[in-house]
Amino acid sequence: MEWTADGLIIGVRRHGESSVILEAMVAGRGRHLGLVRGGRSRKLAAALQPGNTVQLVWRARIEDHLGTYSVELLDARAATLIVDRLRLYTAQLLCEHLRLLPERDPHDRLLARSVDILEDERSAATLGPALARYELNLLDELGFGLDLETCAATGTTNDLTHVSPRSGRAVCREAAAPYLDRLFPLPPFLVSDAKVEPGDIAAAFALTGYFLDRHVWSARPVDPPPTRDLLIGMLCADAAPPGLPSPAIVPQ
Amino acid sequence: MANGGPEIEQLIQLLARLPGLGPRSARRAVLHLIKKKDGLMVPLAAALDRAVAAVRTCEICGNVDTSSPCSICSDPRRIEAGLLVVVEDVADLWALERAGAGAVLYHVLGGVLSPLDGVGPDDLSIDALINRASVAKEVVLAVNATVEGQTTAHYITDRLAGTGVKVTRLAHGVPVGGELDYLDEGTLTQALKARTAI
């Protein structure tokens, strides 16, 4: 078995004294692992950094084997990421999210969005909405997508202002009114091209964080990525006025 | 196949666990030790015995030494200089000492933040570093120039933000003896960005 493709490195794990097991997102193949012999050498270590794009040649005797990778560096993105705290945390978070995907299951839309976010030198104001939408897409690709198009109570598609933590479905303003303390606010930018208002970023991450925790982190069980909280702290500090509720606080 | 008595076999198995040694090279090492029993094996066993009894981890910096606090943390010249260099592990500390880093104190983190390996902030000696940093004049983050190393550096910088201490990091760029043609693109990009006036 052999194939050649470009891949986004999302993780590198030591294997023995000189080799590594490389985790890469490959178009059409999804999250694919392989052994890189000599991957801890000076020559290869710089190329095998999360966030870099490499050309991969995967070889194995049969399809189910781990197989070995031959690697050639195409885009040394990690070098520019490590000097910028915001981009570095973003890259770490994206890699951690991508590692939640099942192995060898194509998720090309998520891969394309990841590369898009990594390539752009975004400000906190544009990065926050992009990452919140990315987490919604992640939930969708993992099979736990939220229904934010119609009201769970009335079926209307207008004036959707909240989300039910139980069903993951949108609720319109009228139906939400008696239960405001038990519903998540739905930031308008998640369902339309609406402008991002102060507090929207924190609300969006509280929403996605709750469902990621319920369906993915707690279910596996794994800890939420530590970089997520750091990143949200930075994004909210830049995008929201002080006094907003912490994104970690979710309705009961 | 057995290579002699169980004692010899056990010795081979233990040596084979050392970094850089496999079963074959461990067997060669054991044969060499047996041949030089008085000149090498006995002194080696005695040295191992003494090291087991004496070696301990420094309660201040995490270095390994025969005393705690270690000789570095007890050096008044280094304490007075107030420069605290943060490294990932003891091997990095030794590398900096070999390089003649000067009158500096160290802090060994014990690794870097690595979600893949399940290493979080609580698994590293970051809280101890924050306590030590309050009396330092400068904290130098000498962690590896990897994504994980630099994430750790940024995290520590955030944690140190309230202490008012000056935080710096090692430069990234062209190594001495390095030829530009052979350097990876990432290092070259960094070197160009961090250029200095001559």
Side-chain angles (χ1 to χ4, degrees):
Chain A
M1 307 293 305
E2 180 175 330
W3 50 256
T4 302
D6 295 353
L8 173 71
I9 297 179
I10 59 170
V12 181
R13 210 175 314 187
R14 290 179 178 191
H15 183 79
E17 283 180 39
S18 59
S19 302
V20 296
I21 292 176
L22 180 73
E23 244 179 301
M25 280 299 288
V26 182
R29 300 184 183 278
R31 187 169 71 91
H32 204 292
L33 278 70
L35 179 76
V36 182
R37 294 190 198 285
R40 291 178 65 192
S41 66
R42 271 189 210 172
K43 187 183 162 197
L44 274 175
L48 302 182
Q49 292 296 314
N52 281 349
T53 297
V54 289
Q55 187 186 61
L56 299 164
V57 180
W58 182 80
R59 293 186 188 90
R61 198 164 55 80
I62 55 174
E63 182 73 34
D64 289 346
H65 279 183
L66 173 68
T68 58
Y69 274 137
S70 301
V71 180
E72 189 169 333
L73 183 64
L74 293 179
D75 188 346
R77 205 177 285 118
T80 56
L81 297 176
I82 60 174
V83 291
D84 182 337
R85 190 172 51 148
L86 190 66
R87 293 187 71 204
L88 182 61
Y89 286 170
T90 304
Q92 284 277 55
L93 180 64
L94 293 181
C95 290
E96 286 174 51
H97 280 340
L98 290 171
R99 286 201 295 267
L100 297 170
L101 296 170
E103 267 188 69
R104 301 190 185 189
D105 189 22
H107 291 276
D108 293 353
R109 195 172 59 140
L110 217 47
L111 171 61
R113 283 179 195 272
S114 306
V115 173
D116 184 42
I117 292 174
L118 286 174
E119 296 238 304
D120 283 3
E121 289 191 30
R122 294 167 191 260
S123 65
T126 57
L127 182 63
L131 276 177
R133 288 193 195 104
Y134 181 92
E135 291 195 340
L136 274 185
N137 288 328
L138 176 69
L139 279 165
D140 199 27
E141 301 256 344
L142 287 168
F144 305 108
L146 309 185
D147 177 3
L148 305 180
E149 297 193 344
T150 55
C151 174
T154 64
T156 181
T157 56
N158 298 322
D159 205 20
L160 302 173
T161 56
H162 288 78
V163 177
S164 160
R166 187 166 298 177
S167 65
R169 296 184 65 190
V171 183
C172 68
R173 188 184 307 274
E174 191 185 347
Y179 310 104
L180 290 180
D181 58 333
R182 282 185 271 168
L183 298 172
F184 282 103
L186 174 60
F189 79 87
L190 285 180
V191 287
S192 67
D193 294 331
K195 195 179 157 205
V196 179
E197 300 293 337
D200 278 358
I201 299 296
F205 280 115
L207 177 69
T208 54
Y210 173 80
F211 286 102
L212 279 169
D213 187 45
R214 180 169 131 187
H215 294 302
V216 187
W217 298 324
S218 296
R220 296 209 171 178
V222 292
D223 290 330
T227 43
R228 188 174 184 273
D229 284 344
L230 297 169
L231 193 55
I232 292 172
M234 289 171 71
L235 294 172
C236 292
D238 285 1
L244 281 167
S246 159
I249 299 170
V250 296
Q252 296 302 306
Chain B
M1 200 173 77
N3 294 284
E7 293 83 1
I8 295 174
E9 192 58 37
Q10 190 189 13
L11 191 55
I12 292 170
Q13 282 174 8
L14 287 172
L15 282 179
R17 288 194 208 165
L18 296 179
L21 291 184
R24 191 179 285 267
S25 40
R27 205 171 296 132
R28 283 180 60 204
V30 168
L31 269 177
H32 187 73
L33 286 170
I34 291 169
K35 279 180 190 166
K36 310 231 172 194
K37 190 176 173 183
D38 292 332
L40 193 57
M41 199 175 190
V42 173
L44 179 65
L48 281 172
D49 240 1
R50 283 198 300 275
V52 167
V55 168
R56 59 202 67 198
T57 303
C58 174
E59 67 205 47
I60 297 175
C61 71
N63 186 19
V64 287
D65 204 334
T66 51
S67 60
S68 180
C70 67
S71 54
I72 292 175
C73 290
S74 311
D75 185 345
R77 198 172 53 95
R78 291 173 187 259
I79 294 168
E80 198 181 332
L83 196 63
L84 185 59
V85 180
V86 181
V87 292
E88 282 181 28
D89 57 40
V90 176
D92 297 332
L93 187 158
W94 290 356
L96 283 165
E97 280 296 288
R98 280 200 307 274
V104 299
L105 293 167
Y106 295 94
H107 188 87
V108 180
L109 287 175
V112 284
L113 297 175
S114 172
L116 201 57
D117 298 321
V119 181
D122 295 340
D123 301 309
L124 308 176
S125 62
I126 293 177
D127 288 337
L129 169 65
I130 307 300
N131 291 336
R132 291 186 72 192
S134 56
V135 291
K137 290 175 188 158
E138 181 178 342
V139 173
V140 184
L141 299 173
V143 288
N144 290 336
T146 59
V147 167
E148 288 178 346
Q150 293 306 305
T151 302
T152 311
H154 285 298
Y155 177 78
I156 292 171
T157 309
D158 287 346
R159 291 283 306 271
L160 289 171
T163 62
V165 68
K166 182 182 177 187
V167 183
T168 56
R169 63 157 198 205
L170 295 185
H172 302 154
V174 182
V176 175
E179 294 179 33
L180 297 191
D181 193 23
Y182 290 99
L183 284 180
D184 65 277
E185 294 88 336
T187 306
L188 275 176
T189 309
Q190 282 301 309
L192 200 58
K193 277 187 179 170
R195 66 190 181 276
T196 54
I198 298 177

